[in-house]
């Protein structure tokens, strides 16, 4: 008998029939004799709808009140699913994140899990109950509800699997597993049987929303046995693990895109030491994450620095930099959200310098202009115009397929 954590995303619990489908998967696992802890997301577009509702009342609502509101979506799906399981005659209890012992820090809307006090869950499992837990939320030291950031239910599930020392953590979603690119947008995308934690972490961070990147980071740290699979198809999914033994393709394991970014460029900065430090330390103090950074070669006395941030941080970053114009001494700021990041990820590219060139060739052949480039050991990212993002992913995917026979 194993201890299994199963997580079901929003599409999987979108309506009554789908909740009954999920209840069937859960009870089948339970009938096989396993102990079962289940994490659910809010139904369908509930979280987006709640955000829209809040905007009607107060577009500048505090993050604390937003968390209070958004946490309700998961409560609805969990209680409904528990009712479906009750109706099937199985012992079940639903718990909120805080009832389940999720302690977080106090960063509302993007809280990080500090610990999971599992006593209540263990007590319910001892009573042979199926335990259903709201994803994406916890409680902070003030006793307030917090949420973990969009897509955070995956992280709730992996945190539970790590804390309970579960044998398996299954992330059920609306696709069959992790693909070489988003199977809804890219023709010829192929399901991976296995992927390493490191590659999955890069893909998730670079925009493949199939897993929340913090869930992958945690799975790697605690060596959680993680699997992504469909709640609809019954097909085998993708295993996420330390070493992927049977990967057919060593160069590139996936292509991802992220349209939710903005680029800021400071033009005419004085070309002297300390400029970048002052600029980026201010952004860091205000918890604004900076991604790709490009500094031009100085022209005479000045230089330019451009960088990308999450789209949600664009206005705040622009405001902060505006306030610093005289201290930093730049000429003007150029800001655009008409930009997207397209990336390739693969552990094998480190020994193969031709990989990046192949990506650039694919973009060149499609007439797509590259604005910025950034590389690491296992990824290459480029910035392109937002309207070119989807084509970029497709042509890069096609080019690697053509070159290597499979990506
Ligand atoms: P859930 O609601 O189950 O958490 P998400 O919408 O967060 O589901 O994630 C699943 C979606 O991720 C898929 O429907 C798919 O469109 C998208 N996706 C993006 N990149 C990939 C990829 N490389 N492999 C699989 N799915 C991907
Ligand atoms: N319901 C939350 C969201 O839509 C959390 C999740 O689905 O993982 O972002
Ligand atoms: Mg998700």
């Amino acid at each position: 008998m194993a201890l299994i954590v199963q997580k079901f995303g929003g599409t999987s619990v979108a309506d009554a029939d789908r909740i009954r489908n999920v209840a069937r998967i859960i009870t089948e696992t339970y009938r096989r004799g396993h102990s079962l802890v289940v994490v659910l997301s809010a139904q369908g577009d509930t979280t987006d709808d709640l955000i829209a509702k809040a905007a009607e009342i107060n577009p500048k609502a505090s993050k604390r009140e937003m968390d209070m509101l958004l946490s309700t979506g998961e409560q609805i799906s969990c209680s409904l699913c528990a009712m479906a399981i009750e109706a099937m005659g199985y012992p079940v209890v639903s718990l909120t994140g805080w009832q389940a012992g999720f302690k977080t820090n106090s960063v509302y809307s993007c809280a990080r899990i500090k610990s999971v006090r599992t006593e209540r869950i263990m007590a319910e499992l001892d009573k042979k109950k199926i335990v259903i837990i709201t994803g994406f939320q916890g409680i902070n030291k003030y006793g307030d509800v917090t949420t973990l950031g969009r897509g955070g239910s995956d992280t709730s599930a992996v945190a539970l699997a790590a804390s309970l020392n579960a044998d398996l953590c299954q992330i059920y979603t609306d696709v069959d597993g992790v693909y070489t690119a988003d199977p809804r947008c890219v023709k010829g995308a192929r399901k991976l049987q296995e992927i390493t934690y490191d590659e999955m972490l890069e893909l998730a961070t670079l925009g493949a929303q199939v897993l929340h990147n913090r869930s992958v980071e945690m799975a790697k740290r605690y060596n959680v046995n993680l699997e992504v699979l469909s709640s609809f198809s019954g097909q085998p999914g993708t295993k996420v693990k330390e070493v992927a033994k049977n990967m057919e393709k060593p160069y590139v394991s996936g292509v991802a895109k992220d349209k939710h970014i903005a680029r800021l460029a400071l033009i005419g900065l004085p070309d002297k030491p300390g400029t970048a430090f002052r600029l980026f330390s201010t952004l860091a103090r205000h918890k604004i994450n900076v991604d790709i950074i490009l500094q031009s070669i100085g022209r005479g006395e000045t230089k330019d620095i451009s960088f990308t941030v999450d789209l949600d941080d664009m206005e705040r970053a622009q405001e902060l930099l505006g306030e610093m114009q005289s201290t930093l001494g730049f000429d003007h700021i150029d800001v655009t959200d008409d930009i997207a990041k397209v990336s390739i990820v693969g552990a094998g590219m480190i020994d193969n310098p031709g990989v990046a060139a192949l990506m650039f060739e694919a973009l060149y052949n499609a007439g797509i202009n590259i604005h910025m480039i950034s590389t690491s050991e296992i990824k290459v990212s480029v910035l392109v115009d937002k309207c070119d993002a989807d084509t970029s992913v497709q042509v890069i995917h096609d080019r690697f397929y053509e070159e290597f026979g499979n990506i």
Side-chain angles (χ1 to χ4, degrees), residues 7 151 154 209-210:
K7 178 258 170 178
D154 299 331
Q209 87 204 60
V210 63

Side-chain angles (χ1 to χ4, degrees), residues 41-42 47 74 136 150-153:
S41 290
T47 310
E74 271 69 12
F136 165 67
R150 300 302 307 269
S153 298

